[in-house]
Amino acid sequence: MKVATWNVNSIRARQQPVIDWLDAVRPDVLCLQELKVGDEDFPFESIAESGYESAVFGEKTYNGVAIVSRYPLQDVERGLNDGQEDPQARLISACIEGITIFSAYFPNGGEVGSDKFDYKLRWMSRLRALLAKRFDPETDQVALCGDFNVAPWDEDVARPAEWRSSVLACDAVREALEDLASFGLQDVVRPFHPQGGLYSWWDYRGRGFERGNGLRIDHIYCTPRLAERAIGAIVDREERARKSPSDHAPVMVEFA
DNA sequence: ATGTCAGGCGTAGCCTGA
């Protein structure tokens, strides 16, 4: 079973690349982030023509997440559902073939110390609480996929000196991710690329891709029973090298 | 600090967010 995640930076701008990628790669599940459209503008029909069912939590202009799957999507849930307000569409989950898969778009965080940064840390803590409430990490098979907006290690950053103090790689967000993972989730991509140097996002500004200035901020984190089934992980850099790309490349893990 | 994108508004070009 192949599970992928891709921040497409507008599904409207990337509709054909997404469909072409589904047709070429044939993942079983693709988690999407930054749709930037309301549910009514999501291309359900075009994606269905390629053989995929979609569950969408859209938002006009900003955010928006989806899960597309070759298998039926069950028990779809949208948002953090913790009784507090979250006006931003950043989380959707569905049960697929006995695995609960999340598509998550973590807040970027703006600048360290800003209100947006506080929101990012709070959001991560609320996500941890949701996981702890809904799942038993010992027995449940859960995959948290998405744009985490966190590069967990210096090996995930091409130029640590340039990014170490940023909202993507500073100690506070790395600690928040460690706390989230301490629920019982592990990074299933890193073990296949222990040397690091594998990136999933390159800033449009400053021609990050052309200059090799990348970060690994898109992740697939799994509970142990699912993680032990992982047999490979890739980042599809070719999608970032194409004309008019998203600033993110797809990340995909195969499970036995 | 920002050399690039994308969407909104509204129909040019500025603003926001990333």
Side-chain angles (χ1 to χ4, degrees):
Chain A
M1 185 179 201
K2 292 177 180 168
V3 177
T5 182
W6 193 5
N7 177 323
V8 291
N9 185 20
S10 164
I11 190 62
R12 203 177 270 138
R14 233 67 61 193
Q15 178 175 338
Q16 199 55 50
V18 166
I19 288 166
D20 291 346
W21 195 79
L22 290 172
D23 290 343
V25 178
R26 303 305 291 167
D28 296 287
V29 179
L30 173 60
C31 297
L32 298 169
Q33 301 88 36
E34 270 208 274
L35 303 175
K36 295 187 173 181
V37 295
D39 291 8
E40 65 281 7
D41 290 320
F42 185 86
F44 288 95
E45 294 83 4
S46 309
I47 287 173
E49 282 170 19
S50 289
Y52 290 85
E53 186 181 324
S54 302
V56 178
F57 186 24
E59 180 183 335
K60 192 181 171 186
T61 312
Y62 303 115
N63 312 307
V65 288
I67 302 174
V68 310
S69 171
R70 303 172 72 178
Y71 297 106
L73 295 155
Q74 300 173 306
D75 304 323
V76 174
E77 305 229 16
R78 296 169 177 82
L80 288 162
N81 290 325
D82 57 6
Q84 302 171 55
E85 240 185 88
D86 187 359
Q88 305 186 1
R90 295 183 173 276
L91 191 72
I92 188 168
S93 66
C95 190
I96 302 166
E97 297 288 293
I99 303 171
T100 300
I101 296 188
F102 283 84
S103 179
Y105 177 41
F106 289 35
N108 169 283
E111 298 292 329
V112 173
S114 66
D115 288 351
K116 287 179 185 174
F117 189 71
D118 291 342
Y119 171 64
K120 179 179 194 171
L121 298 180
R122 268 204 312 277
W123 194 91
M124 292 173 72
S125 153
R126 291 169 65 184
L127 177 56
R128 192 198 192 286
L130 175 155
L131 294 171
K133 190 174 175 186
R134 274 180 61 185
F135 304 102
D136 178 350
E138 306 259 312
T139 55
D140 291 328
Q141 302 198 69
V142 179
L144 176 63
C145 312
D147 176 0
F148 288 31
N149 270 314
V150 180
W153 310 97
D154 281 350
E155 291 80 358
D156 302 319
V157 184
R159 301 183 192 176
E162 190 174 314
W163 292 96
R164 195 63 179 80
S165 60
S166 76
V167 292
L168 304 179
C170 66
D171 287 334
V173 294
R174 287 181 172 177
E175 285 162 14
L177 179 55
E178 237 179 275
D179 181 62
L180 171 60
S182 75
F183 154 73
L185 294 172
Q186 45 195 276
D187 180 345
V188 295
V189 173
R190 182 168 150 91
F192 293 102
H193 302 274
Q195 75 290 355
L198 184 76
Y199 311 123
S200 67
W201 173 82
W202 298 260
D203 204 334
Y204 289 128
R205 293 169 292 189
R207 310 215 164 267
F209 186 72
E210 291 82 345
R211 298 182 185 187
N213 190 5
L215 290 84
R216 189 172 70 100
I217 59 174
D218 300 271
H219 303 291
I220 298 178
Y221 274 46
C222 300
T223 51
R225 280 194 53 221
L226 181 57
E228 68 191 14
R229 292 170 53 193
I231 55 172
I234 60 115
V235 173
D236 192 349
R237 284 176 54 95
E238 285 182 28
E239 282 304 318
R240 186 60 178 83
R242 68 181 294 130
K243 262 191 184 176
S244 303
S246 166
D247 43 353
H248 298 252
V251 176
M252 183 165 70
V253 169
E254 183 166 9
F255 298 96

